[in-house]
Structure formats: structure tokens, C-alpha cells
């Protein structure tokens, strides 16, 4: 399969000079076999790369779907979850330059296969804490946990608790503190995600450039669009797998499920988040197998035998010496590659189209990564949905819209034969209309749940000051309650109380999920009758308008996802065609590196910090200290989450406009007088004849005349 450029040249020169006889028929037959081999090889690689994209997208999207589960399981804030999510990008950062620069000169398929194995090892490591840490503990009133002890929630004196029960509970807490103080198991999740990022590094820069090198030029955009479209199946399965695992209790197989007193609708519920990582790790191992049997090189398509660049690139890039480039492609030493690293980097950043598009992409990915990372949390907190339903909706409705948008972008590029200038317009238009649609989501939010002492007073009045002291009132003044507890109950009046004690409940009946509290003095404040007031376990449902708002949100979200995704493939083509052919892999690597460092790492962190500022009630760890957030201010969360997304998106649009402006400024009309092309040397005339193949082309002065050879 491996054919050198000199052998190709000799092969085609022999075909040209031979007369039409048996040898010519033989050469035609070999040419036909070569075309079939080329088409078969690129299609096999295309299938293998699509499956790898599926595998990496599945594990990545599954991580997004388990953000809230990990936050509750390890009792950490959103900002720390953002650091864990960003560790994937840090893994990319460690080796992206080496892989993209040196990897293009080595055996690209095998490097991708090795990356898949590393990625699977990291995925398995993420799931390991489940097998090393103790069972999950959640906050519950003693009578709910143990039905044999009939205790009054409102403890007027501490000695009302039986001494044996108090002593047993205290010993359990102390044992738990000793275990927690000795380990921070979330670090294993961070390290596993870091390793997963290292393994994923070679897939994009080496895989995309391999396709662009050996595919027929007019099919390259469609192939890239197909790879990215098929890769969207990964997130679909990832979120659906997250939905399934979120319904299963975290310690399934380790505890008796009948003893679990909370349901998947409870804010303290943690699903079997670790199970999906084991499945994703196995899939990554399977995805690595085909790449060990693929060749280092494929035969060039017939239309690209005599040129190292596509005709689209020839409109933009001057090739002064093709013989040098051919010799460059054969025997390259690492020392020579390292020597030309800085000149190549200078060449890329001296390209204004590449630099401006890079800036636009960095800002846009800050917006998109932050939005996607916390979208499940936003839906759960804003619309009162469960983790399982949230992941199901995102996987089954939202992700297919993204897939259809990416495929549509590639199809439009192929059908209308859009050039680089048209690709820039299409990318800008999709971003502009997509962010306009996001503006409408500000009007599609829900009001805060009525929680006594946090969002409403104990008398039912709205908008109280958010101070912990507001949790205490005259109705529960006779009770010995803790302000750190989070064991919500829903009163008959439709108001949620943080605990049965703070609701002033004097008695309880039943056990587990079916516990009912009676004689709740705070609930009775708003009751018109003199009958005893009761409450049940769990949060009260949000207002009746919230389900309708959630439906509107889904519709706009799907349309927005499609609109933004249409510009994905044109953006890739713009990136590949605005640079010199031998720098494609390196340029993609720098592009990926910049996006990882300046968007993938910081975006989840500062989005998480901003979201944490909207928390109304923090949970408490067993040994003291702040845990995960239990309740958010819905209105503030909406403004912070959507506001950050829109501000960043608007900034990226300005840079996209600058890209389009530079392309227009550097273009020359096709009907330019022929005499102007004859003023220069014969070389200039040759360039003019070769380059005028479309409506617009970039001036040769746009690119540095001296080509940097690696």
C-alpha cells in the first residue's frame, strides 16, 4: 500500500509515453486497481475513525451527564467539578504539540490506536473510586432510616433521643470522618479524565488530516462531515446511558435496595455513575483494534497525483518548489523537524485568516463548553427535572439536532461547491442566528420553589433576605434544630421546609419513603382550619407553568443546536484551506491546543464558580465543611448561565466578521484585466493561470513568499 512520490511520478510518466498496446491495457488495469485500493483504504479508515469518534464522544458525553452525580457523590461544589471536567483538556495540552507535529510524519493509524488504549485506561480509572470508598450516605431523619425508633422531629430537649441511638449515630459519624479525612477519592476521577485526554489527543489532528490527504478533493468536506455526524451517535448513547445509570442506585449490587429511603427524584439521589465508565472503557478498547492493521500511507487519488495540495488550496498558497516538497515527504529526521518548529509556528500566526479564526473559535468554544457542561444541572435546577429525564432529553432530542446540523453543513459545502469565502459566510451566519435564538431563553425560566426561610418567609411572603438566620422563626423556636441539615419535606400548604424539625413537626408515622409528619406548627401558620397540619418527604413541585416553560425551552434549544452546528464543517474546511498543505496537521494541532488551553480548561471552572454564587443552601459534610449545593436561586442561575453564554458568543461573532473582512479585502475579481497579469514575470503568469478557478482568490502577496519546509 505504501507508494513513494517518485514511484508515482515514474508510474504516470510511463503511462503517458507508451503506445496503445497490451502494455497500455496493463497500465490501465493497474491504475484501476490502484483507484479501487485507494477508495477501499480510505473508506476503511473512514469507518474506523468514525467508530473512534463514537467511542471518545460516548465517554466524553457520559462524563457531562454524570456531573451532578459526581458532585453529590463526592460532596464537592460546581467549581471543583469544573476542574475535574477541565482535566481532560490538560491531558491534551501535555502532548498535543508533539503528537500533531511529529505524529504526521510517523504511522498515523497506529498512533491513533495507541491513543485509544490510553483513553480506555483513563476511563476505567474514573470508575475505580466506587470500589474503594464506603457506601453512599445521605441526610435523613432517624425515624425514616430506622422505623423501630419513633422520634419527634421537633426535639425540645436533646435528652428526648434515646441514649443508645445517640451513641450509635455519633460513633458512625466519627468512623465516617476518619475515613473521609484520609482520602479525597475525587482525585482518581480527575487523574482518569486527565489520562483520557492524553489518549484522545491524536484522534482529531491525525485522523482529519489523513482523510484530507488521501480522499478525493471534492469528497473531503463530505467525509469530514460524515465522521463528525457519525460521532454524534456517541453523545446520544452517552446521555442515554447516563439516563439509565441515573435511575440505578449508586451502590446497586452492594446494598439492599429496599433499605434505600430516597428516590431518583430526590436532590440527594446519586445514580450508578461508575457503571457507564466501565462500558465506555470496553468500547474504547474495541475501537483501537482496526488501526493496528491500516497502512501508513494510501495511494493518492488520481486527480491529486501531480499536486501536493488541493485546487482550493492552490488558490491561496504559492508552491515555489515542488521537488523539495517531494523530498521532504520521504526521509525526515527528528532533528530537522525540531529545527523548523519555530519557523512553522511563526508562519501559522503570521497568517491573519488563521489567527482571527483561531480567536473566534476560542471565544465560541468558551461559550459552548460552559453551556454544554452545565446544561444538565441547569435543566434540573431551573425546571425541577430529574437527572435521568434530563439526560434522556438531551440524548434523544438535542444531540440528533447537532448531528443533523453538522451533516447539513457538509452537504451544503459539497452540493453548492462553496469556496473558502463562502465557508466563512456560512460559519458566521450560523453563529449569528444561533445566538439570537438563545436570547429568547431568558423568557423561558421558572420561578424559585417556595422554600421556607430561603425563597419565602414562614408566612408565605416572597423575596426575603437570604440569611441562614431566616431559617428560624417563632413557629419552630421551641425546637432544637440544625441549620445545616437538608432533609426537605413538603407541607400541605405547598411550601417546602428544609427539615421536619424546622417545620415544627411533633410526630411522624410510617417509615422510609412513605413517612408522613403531623402537627407541624410552621405548616399550620397558613392553614385556615384548626386541624393538624401534615407534610410528606421530599420537595414540593414547582408552579404549574414550569412544565410548559420546559417544553418551550426544549423546542428553542433544539433549533439553536441545529443552527449553531451548521457552521461546524465549513469552519473545518476554512481552517484546512487557509494554510499550506504540509502545515495542515501542525495547524490543527495548534488550533486544538489553543482551544483546550484557553477554552476547555478555564470555561468549566469559571462557569462553575459563577453558578456557585447562585446557591441558596449548601450541604454539609459529615466531618464539617461545605459540601455540594442543595438549592439554587432559579432566576439568578438563569441570568448567570445564559448571560455568560451570550456574552462570549457575541465576542466570537466579531472575530468571525473580521475573518470575512480579511478574506474579502484580499480577494481579486476573476474578470481582472488580463494585461495586469502580464506585468510580472513568467512565474506570475503561471500562477495566474493556475489560480483563477473560482469567483474569488486570495492575492499571492497575502502569504509569505518563502515556504517553510519542515
Amino acid at each position: 500500500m505504501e507508494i513513494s512520490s517518485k514511484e508515482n511520478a515514474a508510474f504516470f510518466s510511463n503511462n503517458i509515453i507508451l503506445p496503445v498496446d497490451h502494455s497500455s491495457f496493463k497500465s490501465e488495469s493497474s491504475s484501476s486497481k490502484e483507484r479501487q485500493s485507494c477508495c477501499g483504504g480510505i473508506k476503511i479508515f473512514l469507518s474506523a475513525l468514525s467508530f473512534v469518534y463514537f467511542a471518545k464522544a460516548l465517554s466524553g458525553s457520559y462524563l457531562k451527564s454524570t456531573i451532578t452525580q459526581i458532585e453529590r457523590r463526592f460532596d464537592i461544589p460546581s467549581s471543583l467539578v469544573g476542574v475535574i471536567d477541565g482535566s481532560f483538556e490538560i491531558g491534551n495540552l501535555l502532548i498535543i504539540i508533539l503528537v500533531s507535529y511529529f505524529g504526521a510524519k510517523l504511522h498515523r493509524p497506529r498512533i491513533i490506536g495507541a491513543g485509544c488504549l490510553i483513553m480506555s485506561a483513563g476511563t476505567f480509572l474514573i470508575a475505580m473510586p466506587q470500589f474503594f470508598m464506603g457506601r453512599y450516605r445521605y441526610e435523613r431523619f432517624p425515624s425514616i432510616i430506622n422505623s423501630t425508633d419513633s422520634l419527634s422531629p421537633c426535639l425540645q430537649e436533646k435528652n428526648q433521643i434515646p441514649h443508645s441511638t445517640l451513641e450509635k449515630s455519633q460513633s458512625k459519624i466519627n468512623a465516617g470522618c476518619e475515613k473521609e479525612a484520609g482520602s479525597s477519592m475525587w482525585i482518581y476521577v480527575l487523574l482518569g479524565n486527565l489520562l483520557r485526554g492524553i489518549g484522545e489527543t491524536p484522534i482529531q489532528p491525525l485522523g482529519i488530516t489523513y482523510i484530507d490527504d488521501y480522499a478525493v478533493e471534492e469528497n473531503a468536506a463530505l467525509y469530514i462531515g460524515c465522521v463528525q455526524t457519525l460521532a454524534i451517535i456517541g453523545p446520544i448513547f452517552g446521555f442515554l446511558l447516563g439516563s439509565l445509570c441515573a435511575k440505578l442506585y449508586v451502590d446497586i449490587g452492594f446494598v439492599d435496595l429496599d433499605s434505600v429511603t430516597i428516590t431518583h427524584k430526590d436532590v440527594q439521589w446519586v445514580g450508578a455513575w461508575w457503571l457507564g465508565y466501565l462500558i465506555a472503557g470496553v468500547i474504547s478498547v474495541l475501537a483501537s483494534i482496526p488501526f493496528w492493521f491500516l497502512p501508513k500511507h494510501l495511494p493518492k487519488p488520481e486527480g491529486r497525483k501531480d499536486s501536493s495540495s488541493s485546487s482550493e488550496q492552490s488558490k491561496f498558497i504559492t508552491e515555489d518548489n515542488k521537488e523539495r516538497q517531494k523530498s521532504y515527504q520521504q526521509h525526515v529526521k527528528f532533528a530537522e523537524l525540531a529545527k523548523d518548529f519555530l519557523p512553522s509556528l511563526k508562519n501559522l500566526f503570521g497568517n491573519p485568516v488563521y489567527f482571527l479564526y483561531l480567536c473566534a473559535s476560542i471565544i465560541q468554544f468558551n461559550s459552548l463548553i460552559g453551556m454544554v457542561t452545565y446544561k444538565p444541572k441547569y435543566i434540573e435546577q431551573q425546571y425541577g427535572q430529574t437527572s435521568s429525564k434530563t439526560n434522556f432529553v438531551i440524548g434523544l432530542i438535542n444531540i440528533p439536532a447537532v448531528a443533523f446540523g453538522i451533516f447539513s453543513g457538509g452537504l451544503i459545502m459539497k452540493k453548492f461547491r462553496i469556496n473558502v469565502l463562502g465557508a466563512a459566510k456560512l460559519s458566521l451566519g450560523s453563529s449569528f442566528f444561533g445566538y439570537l435564538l438563545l436570547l429568547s431563553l431568558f423568557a423561558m425560566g421558572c420561578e424559585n420553589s417556595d422554600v421556607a426561610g430561603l425563597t419565602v418567609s414562614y408566612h408565605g411572603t416572597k423575596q426575603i433576605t437570604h440569611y441562614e438566620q431566616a431559617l428560624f422563626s417563632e413557629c419552630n423556636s421551641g425546637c432544637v434544630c440544625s441549620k445545616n441539615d437538608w432533609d426537605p419535606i413538603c407541607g400541605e400548604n405547598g411550601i417546602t421546609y428544609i427539615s421536619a424539625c424546622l417545620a415544627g413537626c411533633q410526630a411522624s408515622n410510617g417509615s422510609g419513603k412513605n413517612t408522613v409528619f403531623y402537627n407541624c406548627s410552621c405548616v399550620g401558620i397558613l392553614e385556615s382550619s384548626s386541624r393538624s397540619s401534615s407534610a410528606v418527604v421530599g420537595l414540593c413541585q414547582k408552579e404549574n407553568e414550569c412544565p410548559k416553560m420546559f417544553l418551550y425551552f426544549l423546542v428553542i434549544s433544539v433549533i439553536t443546536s441545529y443552527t449553531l452546528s451548521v457552521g461546524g464543517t465549513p469552519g473545518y474546511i476554512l481552517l484546512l484551506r487557509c494554510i499550506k498543505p504540509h502545515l495542515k496537521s501542525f495547524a490543527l494541532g495548534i488550533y486544538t491546543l489553543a482551544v483546550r488551553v484557553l477554552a476547555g480548561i478555564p470555561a468549566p471552572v469559571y462557569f462553575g464558580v459563577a453558578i456557585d454564587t447562585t446557591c441558596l443552601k449548601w450541604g454539609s459534610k459529615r466531618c464539617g465543611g461545605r459540601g455540594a449545593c442543595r438549592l439554587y436561586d432559579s432566576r439568578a442561575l438563569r441570568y448567570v448561565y445564559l448571560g455568560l453564554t451570550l456574552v462570549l458568543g457575541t465576542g466570537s461573532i466579531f472575530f468571525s466578521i473580521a475573518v470575512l473582512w480579511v478574506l474579502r479585502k484580499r480577494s481579486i475579481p476573476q474578470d481582472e484585466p488580463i494585461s495586469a497579469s502580464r506585468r510580472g514575470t513568467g512565474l506570475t503568469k503561471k500562477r495566474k493561470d493556475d489560480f483563477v478557478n473560482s469567483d474569488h482568490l486570495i492575492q499571492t502577496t497575502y502569504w509569505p513568499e518563502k515556504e517553510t519546509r519542515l
Side-chain angles (χ1 to χ4, degrees), residues 65 68-69 72 239-248 264-265 269 375-377 379-380 383-398 541 546-548 550-551 553-554:
S65 72
T68 55
Q69 309 293 313
R72 295 169 186 170
F239 278 101
L240 291 181
L241 182 62
S243 175
L244 175 63
C245 293
K247 279 189 176 180
L248 305 176
H264 66 280
K265 297 181 180 180
W269 174 270
K375 191 169 189 176
K377 174 185 280 290
I379 293 177
E380 290 177 36
Y383 302 102
Q385 304 296 321
T386 64
S387 297
S388 177
K389 185 175 181 180
T390 298
N391 293 328
F392 182 82
V393 165
I394 293 176
L396 203 62
I397 299 177
N398 214 281
Q541 295 294 324
C546 201
K548 187 186 296 183
F550 179 56
L551 181 61
F553 170 83
L554 289 181

Side-chain angles (χ1 to χ4, degrees), residues 134-147:
R135 304 282 76 86
Y136 175 60
R137 297 185 180 93
Y138 47 87
E139 299 176 49
R140 268 297 176 258
F141 179 67
S143 66
I144 299 179
I145 299 174
N146 188 351
S147 59

